[in-house]
Amino acid sequence: MRFYIIPAVWLLCAVFPVFARDVEILLEDTELGLPLEGAIIRSWDGKQYTCGEDGKALVAVPDDRRVVVQAAYPGYENGRLVITLETNTYTLGLRLSNVMQGKELVIEASQPGTSETKTGRSVALSGREIAQTAEIGIIEDVMNSVKLLPGVGYAGLFNSHPSIRGGDPGDMSASLDGFYIMNPYYWGGGFSIFDPRMVQSAQLSHGVFSTRYGHTISGLLDVTSKKPSPTETEFELGASTSAASFNLSFPLAGKGGILFMGRVTYYDPVVWVFQQASKTNEILEPVNAIQTAPYIRTGTVTGNYRFSDQLELQATGFWGMDGVGVNYENKTRTSELNSDSYIEFDYINYQCFITSALSWNPRNDMLLKFTAGTGYTEQVIDGELRDIIYDKSFKKTPGNENWYSELEGVASPDVFKDQYDTKSNALIKRTDKELNVQGRVDYDWELTDGLLLAAGMQERFNQYSAIGEQKMPIGKLLSEFEPEERERLLNDMGIDPLMHDYFTKIIRVRSPFEYNSDAGNRMFTTSGYGLVEYSTPGSRFNTELGLRVDHFYLIGKDDFSLSSKPALNPRLNMDFNVFKNQGIVHSFDLSAGTGLFSSINDAVSTAEKRYGMDEIKPNRSWTSVVGAKLEFPASLSFNIEGYYKYIYDRTYYVRMQSGIDEEVNIRPQLNGEGRVWGIDVMLQKLQSRFWDGWIAYSFSWARYRDPDAGFSADGTRENDWYFPSYHRFHNLNLILNVKPAPRFNIYTRFGFASGAQIPRRIGDRPISYPVYVYSDKPGEGYFTERYEWPSVRDENNRTTPSVPMDLKFSIFGKNKKGMGKARYELYFAVENALSLLYTSQGNTRFNQNTGEIDTGSEAASYEIPIPIPSFGFKYSY
């Protein structure tokens, strides 16, 4: 039984009403009418308000008298505005500083603090930064921006699963408006669900962040959706290379608003056009394999309503679906091999959730927040791969004379076939469903200036269902089988008993790897935290000390239950300002932090009774970070961080099969380890009139160990430390926005990522080997021939570096007539611009049936070898 105790002080707080009202103030460029995101409004009582992406801010003012507010923005003259009793909506235009006839002088100052970027904890992206870097490509995606930040590993195109500071890509968690999302991806991870046109800001926490947040040992991506205007009806229509979107918001009596957003791809007519063209152009014939064009369809509703200065309600609802269907046939006719291949694949994914938050200020120094939400996901996969081989004359193939002549003399002639049907090489039919319910309470109490106490708790309920069958062929040497089964297989082959020992080391057996899942679990995750924040006058020294506790309880389908021990996660952060305004340095700050983190693995969540588990453990990590930040004139800053992570109790898989005719069982192991250290550097120029951007460099050293794996997926032997497949030592991104005129922006992204590890090949060509295709029906097994290129694991053998380059040209404008509320943006872009000149190279491909080595410039290409053009248009009113 569980007991939840809410501190009595939450219920004893006195309520001090403040008689005030909210007014909406829009700050814009006087000449261009463009909103000034990040501008600061200083109210009559000394409070500061930050303008959002639309240049607007809600300011609380007395309802019984007039007041004056001031506005400031870097490079602009300050403005003053009188707030009267009669009006609740205002527009204030700011002019560039020192505008002289025939010459323009812009004075740049430090941008007001609008970002949640904190050295050693997190890095944030504003709405404008997201628009510049994420609205590009065939699918506009916020992850396009996230992948440019320091500490984020290179993932390439069509991959929204980057490694965060050396962690497994699956370790990253994501939330939208505080709601933890279980599967924030489309097309199996190719893109995220976060449309840039629906996002106000994003924050990646990959350091020692606050104990308020958890459920990750790598990084947390917290996305905030756009908020509606409380006073105006607004409309935005957008179109890009493959999708159309819209935003429509309505005010709610000046107290809030409701915003509707949607996006839909339109590949269907594109595919239809190409299919019609394929009737006269054979090159386009593969397009006919697409039965269901790739699609994404989403809808989002978000709103807020302020009942009073002390009470506000926010809510967000999301619905999305994506899918694709392919029926592909390929025929190969050569002198060495005649074969037919068939691929059938259907994929569909549904997800929806709704979340709400109620914020209440019982007193000016207290905040109580209640959050609740629920969500549902369902993913259906139905795929099959089949090969039919005709007239495979492997007797005449060079390189197999030795083993073939030896085998032919001692094996039964019935096991040699020149024509065979592999039935089903690979099969997957699976349906995954998940229902989750979340609720949390957060309480903040500012005891004195600079001293804050906070506490909270969260409960998450997840109900999982995973039903399906999976089959794929695997091959292993006869010597790897148990002695009794090895002898049985040799007898099925008809091999002379005197030659058993010899052929045990040569022949490989191909048999089906089958796994049928039938999980139906309920997981209860209980979390609680408490922390204290202290800041000295002037914020010379700041510290946060907190403790988070996570507990996991699993109830299985087959009347079994597993419980974890409470995971204690203490965390400490300290920030110290060394000096300010010394020479060319505006500020020099140091930071340090250390703490523990925990998260549960998906394999544990969908565990079955047959796994034989007697406990569950969350993945754990101990992370430490030290950093320094320098701020210079002209909105220039330099940030450097060094970190070390020790990962323990990490979940990994061991595949177990008692016999060749038995179904494979999965055994999750909970004793994996990892050691990661690295350095992240960022030189940033905040937004200014003519140019801005950043340079981000990351070095990462990450090695893992799976003590009981035997052989891991990449061939690592038991107890070996290894670099994971996603690891790269170096990652560099240069982001530059050049504005030759106020209406134009030229965005350039240049990247460099060192190579990923690949096996080192031995010899100059593939070699053939005999394969016995096993059948559970006596007399139906047979021999065939396959090719492999002998290779060994070599941690120094990697692909050549990846050098991505993206270009984007944007044009901005507005309606110069009437009220001037209509604005538009048009962009043209190209990703992977250097691919015609250079692509990362790996091992050369070859045909495993014939041994034929691929030739041509793309034979060893590790990435997409062509540029990807895109365009977009956005109109708002």
Side-chain angles (χ1 to χ4, degrees):
M1 181 177 294
R2 302 183 180 188
F3 298 91
Y4 303 108
I5 301 175
I6 300 178
V9 67
W10 292 1
L11 304 178
L12 298 177
C13 298
V15 179
F16 293 90
V18 177
F19 298 99
R21 60 192 175 98
D22 288 334
V23 297
E24 183 184 75
I25 302 176
L26 167 63
L27 293 186
E28 63 180 11
D29 185 299
T30 300
E31 301 295 330
L32 302 174
L34 298 177
L36 299 178
E37 178 190 6
I40 289 295
I41 298 176
R42 296 180 178 87
S43 185
W44 61 281
D45 57 357
K47 292 184 179 179
Q48 293 189 358
Y49 299 84
T50 302
C51 295
E53 183 184 16
D54 56 1
K56 297 177 181 178
L58 285 178
V59 179
V61 299
D63 59 2
D64 59 351
R65 66 182 187 276
R66 298 197 312 169
V67 295
V68 178
V69 299
Q70 295 182 340
Y73 191 75
Y76 287 77
E77 297 176 349
N78 291 344
R80 292 167 59 87
L81 182 67
V82 177
I83 307 298
T84 66
L85 299 178
E86 295 79 15
T87 306
N88 290 326
T89 304
Y90 298 86
T91 299
L92 177 60
L94 300 183
R95 297 175 59 86
L96 289 170
S97 300
N98 295 336
V99 178
M100 297 176 290
Q101 184 176 3
K103 186 176 181 180
E104 182 179 49
L105 174 64
V106 178
I107 301 177
E108 298 179 347
S110 298
Q111 185 179 11
T114 62
S115 174
E116 289 296 324
T117 297
K118 294 184 178 180
T119 303
R121 299 169 179 79
S122 61
V123 59
L125 290 163
S126 68
R128 182 165 294 182
E129 290 169 330
I130 291 174
Q132 291 171 337
T133 57
E135 293 180 5
I136 188 174
I138 63 170
I139 297 294
E140 297 178 348
D141 186 1
V142 168
M143 289 304 298
N144 291 339
S145 300
V146 174
K147 290 190 289 187
L148 305 178
L149 298 176
V152 181
Y154 177 75
L157 297 174
F158 312 117
N159 184 358
S160 289
H161 277 84
S163 169
I164 308 298
R165 285 189 167 175
D168 187 282
D171 286 337
M172 187 185 78
S173 296
S175 67
L176 179 65
D177 294 337
F179 183 86
Y180 285 92
I181 303 173
M182 301 299 106
N183 179 32
Y185 301 106
Y186 291 133
W187 296 344
F191 302 94
S192 79
I193 67 172
F194 303 121
D195 180 0
R197 302 177 192 270
M198 63 172 277
V199 172
Q200 179 73 29
S201 62
Q203 175 179 291
L204 177 64
S205 300
H206 54 18
V208 183
F209 50 87
S210 173
T211 53
R212 301 174 190 266
Y213 312 105
H215 307 299
T216 179
I217 64 171
S218 179
L220 171 64
L221 178 62
D222 187 15
V223 177
T224 303
S225 62
K226 287 184 177 179
K227 297 299 183 289
S229 168
T231 58
E232 294 183 352
T233 298
E234 297 180 326
F235 174 74
E236 179 179 292
L237 180 65
S240 63
T241 307
S242 59
S245 63
F246 79 93
N247 292 6
L248 178 63
S249 71
F250 300 96
L252 297 176
K255 295 292 186 178
I258 184 169
L259 172 61
F260 299 89
M261 295 171 282
R263 177 169 67 165
V264 59
T265 56
Y266 36 72
Y267 278 116
D268 302 74
V270 175
V271 170
W272 182 85
V273 169
F274 278 95
Q275 287 178 339
Q276 299 306 308
S278 68
K279 297 178 181 179
T280 57
N281 190 337
E282 294 182 357
I283 297 178
L284 299 176
E285 187 173 343
V287 179
N288 292 312
I290 302 176
Q291 302 298 307
T292 301
Y295 64 88
I296 295 174
R297 298 163 188 152
T298 65
T300 305
V301 180
T302 184
N304 67 299
Y305 189 83
R306 180 174 292 184
F307 299 94
S308 67
D309 283 346
Q310 294 81 32
L311 189 64
E312 182 178 9
L313 175 67
Q314 296 178 317
T316 300
F318 175 88
W319 173 87
M321 65 180 296
D322 61 288
V324 66
V326 176
N327 190 347
Y328 178 72
E329 178 181 348
N330 180 47
K331 296 184 178 181
T332 301
R333 299 292 184 265
T334 67
S335 58
E336 296 182 347
L337 174 68
N338 296 328
S339 69
D340 295 341
S341 297
Y342 300 92
I343 299 176
E344 296 181 8
F345 181 79
D346 288 292
Y347 164 85
I348 189 169
N349 177 53
Y350 303 94
Q351 53 185 310
C352 61
F353 62 83
I354 183 171
T355 179
S356 61
L358 183 66
S359 301
W360 179 42
N361 291 100
R363 295 189 342 197
N364 291 336
D365 57 358
M366 291 183 179
L367 172 63
L368 185 60
K369 186 174 182 179
F370 302 90
T371 306
T374 183
Y376 175 79
T377 66
E378 180 175 346
Q379 180 176 273
V380 180
I381 302 176
D382 187 352
E384 182 176 2
L385 169 64
R386 180 184 178 189
D387 287 334
I388 301 177
I389 309 297
Y390 304 97
D391 302 326
K392 174 67 169 64
S393 302
F394 56 83
K395 296 180 183 179
K396 302 176 182 179
T397 304
N400 71 354
E401 295 87 350
N402 293 333
W403 66 258
Y404 181 78
S405 59
E406 294 172 349
L407 188 60
E408 188 179 32
V410 296
S412 170
D414 296 336
V415 297
F416 293 92
K417 293 186 178 181
D418 291 336
Q419 177 175 327
Y420 56 90
D421 185 345
T422 62
K423 306 291 184 187
S424 179
N425 281 17
L427 173 71
I428 177 170
K429 296 180 182 293
R430 183 181 174 101
T431 300
D432 293 288
K433 302 178 182 179
E434 180 178 358
L435 170 68
N436 76 87
V437 180
Q438 306 175 23
R440 67 180 289 164
V441 179
D442 298 274
Y443 173 71
D444 288 16
W445 184 9
E446 189 175 11
L447 297 177
T448 62
D449 288 341
L451 181 61
L452 175 74
L453 297 180
M457 55 182 57
Q458 180 185 46
E459 182 70 24
R460 293 203 315 180
F461 167 76
N462 297 77
Q463 181 169 316
Y464 302 92
S465 172
I467 301 175
E469 57 176 320
Q470 300 175 62
K471 182 174 71 173
M472 61 180 296
I474 59 173
K476 59 181 180 180
L477 286 169
L478 270 172
S479 58
E480 298 177 29
F481 287 87
E482 296 295 330
E484 292 183 3
E485 191 153 39
R486 183 166 60 238
E487 290 298 315
R488 179 173 70 86
L489 290 170
L490 287 165
N491 291 330
D492 288 345
M493 300 173 195
I495 294 180
D496 189 329
L498 297 177
M499 301 296 293
H500 280 192
D501 290 342
Y502 174 78
F503 283 107
T504 294
K505 303 175 184 178
I506 298 177
I507 298 174
R508 301 188 188 189
V509 177
R510 185 178 185 181
S511 60
F513 170 98
E514 294 188 19
Y515 177 74
N516 298 320
S517 55
D518 186 15
N521 300 336
R522 289 167 289 168
M523 173 75 78
F524 295 88
T525 303
T526 304
S527 304
Y529 73 88
L531 63 87
V532 56
E533 295 180 8
Y534 175 71
S535 178
T536 60
S539 297
R540 184 72 183 271
F541 175 75
N542 301 281
T543 186
E544 177 184 317
L545 175 63
L547 173 66
R548 182 182 181 90
V549 182
D550 295 324
H551 179 264
F552 307 91
Y553 182 66
L554 177 71
I555 301 176
K557 177 179 180 180
D558 300 320
D559 194 26
F560 78 100
S561 61
L562 299 170
S563 179
S564 74
K565 297 178 180 179
L568 304 180
N569 298 315
R571 300 173 197 168
L572 171 65
N573 277 296
M574 295 179 291
D575 302 288
F576 179 68
N577 176 250
V578 181
F579 60 78
K580 291 184 178 180
N581 300 320
Q582 297 291 324
I584 64 170
V585 179
H586 283 180
S587 179
F588 176 38
D589 298 274
L590 299 176
S591 67
T594 187
L596 297 177
F597 298 82
S598 60
S599 68
I600 202 69
N601 189 279
D602 290 341
V604 176
S605 302
T606 57
E608 300 181 42
K609 188 174 183 178
R610 56 178 171 166
Y611 288 2
M613 300 176 66
D614 55 6
E615 66 172 338
I616 56 176
K617 291 182 180 180
N619 297 330
R620 303 296 305 276
S621 74
W622 172 37
T623 302
S624 298
V625 181
V626 293
K629 183 176 182 179
L630 290 163
E631 294 184 356
F632 302 95
S635 303
L636 193 66
S637 64
F638 175 78
N639 191 83
I640 182 171
E641 298 179 20
Y643 61 90
Y644 173 80
K645 291 195 294 187
Y646 173 63
I647 300 170
Y648 59 101
D649 291 346
R650 184 178 60 85
T651 303
Y652 59 96
Y653 311 90
V654 174
R655 186 183 67 202
M656 301 185 67
Q657 187 176 20
S658 56
I660 195 170
D661 294 317
E662 302 294 329
E663 182 183 340
V664 172
N665 285 324
I666 302 298
R667 290 290 184 268
Q669 304 297 312
L670 310 176
N671 59 353
E673 294 182 272
R675 295 171 182 169
V676 183
W677 67 272
I679 298 174
D680 294 334
V681 180
M682 187 174 189
L683 177 65
Q684 185 175 25
K685 165 74 171 177
L686 294 177
Q687 187 165 3
S688 65
R689 166 62 182 83
F690 292 103
W691 70 277
D692 57 70
W694 67 83
I695 300 176
Y697 168 75
S698 299
F699 172 84
S700 175
W701 188 94
R703 302 194 76 184
Y704 289 82
R705 188 171 76 98
D706 305 330
D708 299 321
F711 287 86
S712 66
D714 55 8
T716 304
R717 289 184 176 274
E718 183 178 344
N719 291 321
D720 279 354
W721 287 89
Y722 63 92
F723 290 107
S725 59
Y726 51 82
H727 173 260
R728 296 172 184 262
F729 284 108
H730 307 279
N731 191 27
L732 173 71
N733 281 299
L734 167 63
I735 310 302
L736 180 63
N737 290 289
V738 178
K739 308 163 189 176
R743 294 186 58 218
F744 302 106
N745 186 84
I746 302 173
Y747 162 76
T748 303
R749 177 265 180 124
F750 177 80
F752 174 88
S754 58
Q757 184 175 290
I758 54 176
R760 179 170 59 84
R761 288 177 172 173
I762 300 174
D764 58 358
R765 62 175 295 108
I767 62 173
S768 67
Y769 60 92
V771 175
Y772 181 71
V773 181
Y774 172 78
S775 174
D776 56 359
K777 298 179 180 179
E780 292 192 8
Y782 55 86
F783 275 104
T784 184
E785 178 189 34
R786 296 290 291 236
Y787 282 79
E788 72 169 357
W789 206 316
S791 60
V792 295
R793 181 179 178 84
D794 184 348
E795 294 183 345
N796 296 317
N797 192 56
R798 293 178 174 256
T799 63
T800 59
S802 298
V803 187
M805 183 175 182
D806 306 332
L807 300 171
K808 176 182 173 183
F809 178 70
S810 302
I811 304 173
F812 306 91
K814 71 167 188 173
N815 180 15
K816 297 183 179 180
K817 298 180 181 180
M819 299 299 294
K821 294 182 178 180
R823 295 182 174 86
Y824 68 86
E825 176 187 349
L826 178 67
Y827 79 78
F828 301 93
V830 58
E831 294 179 290
N832 212 22
L834 296 179
S835 59
L836 294 179
L837 302 176
Y838 172 85
T839 57
S840 177
Q841 300 293 296
N843 286 329
T844 305
R845 294 185 293 268
F846 66 94
N847 190 310
Q848 294 183 348
N849 288 312
T850 65
E852 183 180 0
I853 301 174
D854 290 352
T855 59
S857 60
E858 300 176 14
S861 177
Y862 190 72
E863 296 175 327
I864 297 175
I866 58 173
I868 307 296
S870 59
F871 70 89
F873 177 78
K874 181 166 57 178
Y875 176 86
S876 61
Y877 181 81

